[in-house]
Amino acid sequence: VGPYVLVTPKETRRKQLQQIAKKELDDLEQWKKEHRPGPIMLVPQRLGGNESEAQVRQNQQMILMQSKYQKKYKREEYVKAKKAAEEAKILKNKAIQREKAERLEAKKRQEEMQRREMLLEDQKYKTNELLNRLDVGLPKSDSCQIANPGPESTAWKRSHASKQALREDENRRLEEMKQEQRRKAELMEFKQKQEEEIRTRTLKNEQRSCLQSLFIFYCTLRVNNAFLDRLQNKTQPNNIYHPGYTG
């Protein structure tokens, strides 16, 4: 710590500040005394309601019972809404996964079709190349029109027949592939219709269960209100006893 200088306080200045503070406190007390509120003058009047204490207690009990049923109903509705939200989330995730699987399956089918088409094109190209090689050393059709055909015309006929058979085989394979794709498309459409029907049926069942719950709650509420009305009629002071009443 470095050096410091001690300054002695001024007594006159301290006394002046104390006197000013005391004067302000005295002025504040004087102002409070002058502005003190006076007595309140109210017109006398009768307080209270038109109902008796027993009736008020009964109304409080009814309100309490109704509040219990309302809390129970709200709690059940909250649980149902939470469960419905969880089921909707699960169904949404399932739908997303199903769509992903369908897209992946469609992609695989498309790749398989492209591979088969490329394979058929390659096979067709190689077949045509082989047939062209076979046709190189053979005579033309004009030279084959003789009375006694030789072995060369027979070879040309065999090559032409094999070429025609290969073409028919390729056309048959293409037609089978088209029919298979058509069957797969019809099957996919049928599955989509079934899933849509299942979703519609599930939604209808949920709506039906919700309406049943509301109807049960309404019936319970009516029974409780009827019971409370009978209880209120019994506890009223001006109640008239009926001999034939069994409660």
Side-chain angles (χ1 to χ4, degrees):
V1 180
Y4 61 93
V5 178
L6 181 62
V7 179
T8 56
K10 293 181 181 181
E11 294 294 332
T12 56
R13 178 64 176 170
R14 181 182 294 176
K15 289 180 180 180
Q16 289 177 0
L17 293 174
Q18 289 178 355
Q19 289 176 0
I20 292 170
K22 185 178 180 182
K23 184 176 182 302
E24 290 179 353
L25 290 174
D26 294 339
D27 293 339
L28 179 61
E29 292 295 330
Q30 185 67 27
W31 183 86
K32 287 181 179 180
K33 289 179 181 180
E34 292 177 355
H35 293 80
R36 182 178 297 172
I40 299 173
M41 301 298 293
L42 295 175
V43 179
Q45 58 182 355
R46 185 177 179 180
L47 301 177
N50 298 325
E51 298 179 355
S52 61
E53 184 178 358
Q55 198 169 1
V56 172
R57 296 291 184 187
Q58 185 180 357
N59 293 333
Q60 289 179 353
Q61 187 177 3
M62 288 175 61
I63 293 171
L64 180 61
M65 292 178 67
Q66 289 178 0
S67 65
K68 287 182 180 179
Y69 283 114
Q70 289 177 358
K71 288 180 181 178
K72 184 179 179 181
Y73 174 71
K74 288 182 179 179
R75 185 166 57 251
E76 291 177 355
E77 289 295 325
Y78 174 74
V79 172
K80 288 181 181 179
K82 186 177 180 181
K83 187 176 179 181
E86 291 177 354
E87 290 179 355
K89 187 176 180 180
I90 292 171
L91 291 175
K92 184 179 179 181
N93 293 331
K94 286 183 178 179
I96 292 172
Q97 296 298 328
R98 193 182 299 109
E99 289 178 359
K100 289 182 179 179
E102 289 176 357
R103 287 198 296 267
L104 183 61
E105 187 67 22
K107 186 177 180 181
K108 287 182 179 179
R109 286 197 299 269
Q110 187 176 3
E111 291 177 354
E112 183 67 21
M113 287 178 62
Q114 291 178 357
R115 190 179 66 82
R116 288 185 180 182
E117 288 178 358
M118 292 176 64
L119 183 62
L120 289 174
E121 290 291 335
D122 188 35
Q123 187 177 2
K124 185 177 179 181
Y125 175 74
K126 289 182 178 179
T127 303
N128 292 330
E129 186 178 359
L130 178 61
L131 294 174
N132 291 329
R133 287 180 181 177
L134 291 174
D135 292 339
V136 169
L138 296 177
K140 295 182 180 180
S141 59
D142 296 337
S143 62
C144 294
Q145 295 177 358
I146 55 178
N148 295 321
E152 293 180 354
S153 62
T154 306
W156 181 83
K157 287 181 180 179
R158 284 199 302 269
S159 65
H160 183 71
S162 62
K163 189 174 181 180
Q164 188 69 22
L166 289 173
R167 287 178 181 175
E168 290 177 357
D169 191 12
E170 289 176 0
N171 293 330
R172 182 178 55 79
R173 289 181 182 178
L174 288 174
E175 188 65 27
E176 289 178 356
M177 287 179 63
K178 289 180 181 179
Q179 291 178 0
E180 184 180 357
Q181 293 300 324
R182 193 180 300 111
R183 285 195 300 271
K184 288 182 178 179
E186 291 177 356
L187 181 61
M188 186 179 296
E189 185 178 359
F190 178 71
K191 286 182 178 179
Q192 290 177 356
K193 288 183 179 178
Q194 282 185 342
E195 291 174 357
E196 187 67 26
E197 290 178 358
I198 291 170
R199 284 196 292 269
T200 306
R201 195 179 301 111
T202 305
L203 182 60
K204 288 183 179 179
N205 292 332
E206 291 177 356
Q207 291 177 353
R208 190 180 297 108
S209 62
C210 183
L211 290 174
Q212 289 177 357
S213 301
L214 289 175
F215 179 72
I216 292 170
F217 173 74
Y218 176 71
C219 294
T220 307
L221 187 62
R222 288 189 62 184
V223 172
N224 293 332
N225 289 333
F227 173 74
L228 292 175
D229 291 338
R230 290 196 298 271
L231 184 64
Q232 182 179 2
N233 293 329
K234 284 183 179 180
T235 54
Q236 285 181 357
N238 55 355
N239 188 16
I240 300 174
Y241 175 73
H242 297 282
Y245 180 70
T246 60

